Amino acid sequence: MNIDEILNNIYPLSDTSKQLLKKSITEVKYKKGYILLRADKIEKNIYFIKKGVARAYSNKDNIEITFWFGKEGDTIISMKSYIANQKGYENIELLEDCELYELKTTNLQKLFDEYIDIANWGRRFAEKELVKTEERLISRQVRIATERYKELLKDNPDLIQRIQLGHIASYLGITQVSLSRIRAEIK
Amino acid sequence: MNIDEILNNIYPLSDTSKQLLKKSITEVKYKKGYILLRADKIEKNIYFIKKGVARAYSNKDNIEITFWFGKEGDTIISMKSYIANQKGYENIELLEDCELYELKTTNLQKLFDEYIDIANWGRRFAEKELVKTEERLISRQVRIATERYKELLKDNPDLIQRIQLGHIASYLGITQVSLSRIRAEIK
DNA sequence: CTCATTTTTTATCATTTGTAAAATTTTACG
DNA sequence: CGTAAAATTTTACAAATGATAAAAAATGAG
């Protein structure tokens, strides 16, 4: 998934605006296991995943709780950093070797104030992330773990192949033992 | 909380833009128990709460699951309707007699395309809702019900007075009986 | 104020889920 | 290819939560 496609999927931009945005974007590569974002830092970049898989996790009583997975086309971002310029909740670990587009957000604010299509790009970006986040929240609230696992299996079968089950169990809000029980049951 | 304050808290608008927005806003009142939004409909309005409390719930196997509360200053919105023009998940029930500002969203899109400060107002609106939604998601993922109850008690003590415990238990993801046990324990 | 209705708490028992540890399978790498 | 390490599954037991029913308390209409 190349950067033009990713940017355009969010909101169509004029050539001028797209060039301005792309001025702040570079391509980077990191190895599996690399910690891209840290919860105790205010992040100045957001990343679009060209290739690879990542997870977000928080530490709670020395236990890592995974609450997000991202793959090709998804955005890696500390919302709190991006929106409120505050420390976020998430550590981001790359679960495969990754190729990423890195967008420096330092002069984004200025672009928002000057170019209406970039402002609307930023609006659309937040809106789309909002719908995704809301879906996750409601799925978590309304469905029990078994159903959420089946949902994940249906919507993202590749993730279950690419990500170890301990992380998936954490993401589903259950223990790995419970997930094993679920998997044994639905076979 | 009046409408100027609510609009300005999201993003400062020029007088012209504010007047344009306010053209689409009227004040409405509904009684306790009124169902303001329905899950099976695409909603054409969003509401800002001037006075009162509301909840969002979804039906799951004939059981209502509450996943949101709103009070003075909060926004009542079907995100799926607003952002994707699709049916949302939520029924919204007013839990008290309410005074609301009703914003018709039909010509909002046009305003976004024409006025940069309205585009940025829309961006900021989505961004702020996003941070709130993310906080709820992460709280739900990382904290157990007891802790979430204590968090609610700390951050919104008034809600626990104003909303019946069955709804709060549902919101916390536990049964009313469990919530009673928690309350008995922490006294 | 009183009585009926709704809401909340308590008690009991059944079920689910978690913890810990062992057994098995898969993966990584020399 | 073989071995060590990591990941996953299984088992047994303990703890937490849920379901149900019933009692107690609070609320509201007349």
Side-chain angles (χ1 to χ4, degrees), chain B residues 32 144-146 173-175 177-178 181:
Chain B
K32 173 177 175 172
I144 60 173
T146 307
I174 54 179
T175 59
V177 175
S178 283
R181 283 197 275 245

Side-chain angles (χ1 to χ4, degrees), chain A residues 83 126 130 133-134, chain B residues 10 48 68 73-77 79 82-83 123-136:
Chain A
I83 291 169
L130 179 49
T133 304
E134 193 188 58
Chain B
I10 294 168
F48 304 104
W68 174 85
D74 288 333
T75 310
I76 298 174
I77 181 169
M79 283 298 167
Y82 171 70
I83 292 169
R123 176 177 61 83
R124 215 63 200 129
F125 173 68
E127 288 177 356
K128 288 187 173 182
E129 290 294 321
L130 179 49
V131 165
K132 281 190 268 182
T133 304
E134 193 188 57
E135 253 163 25
R136 285 200 290 146

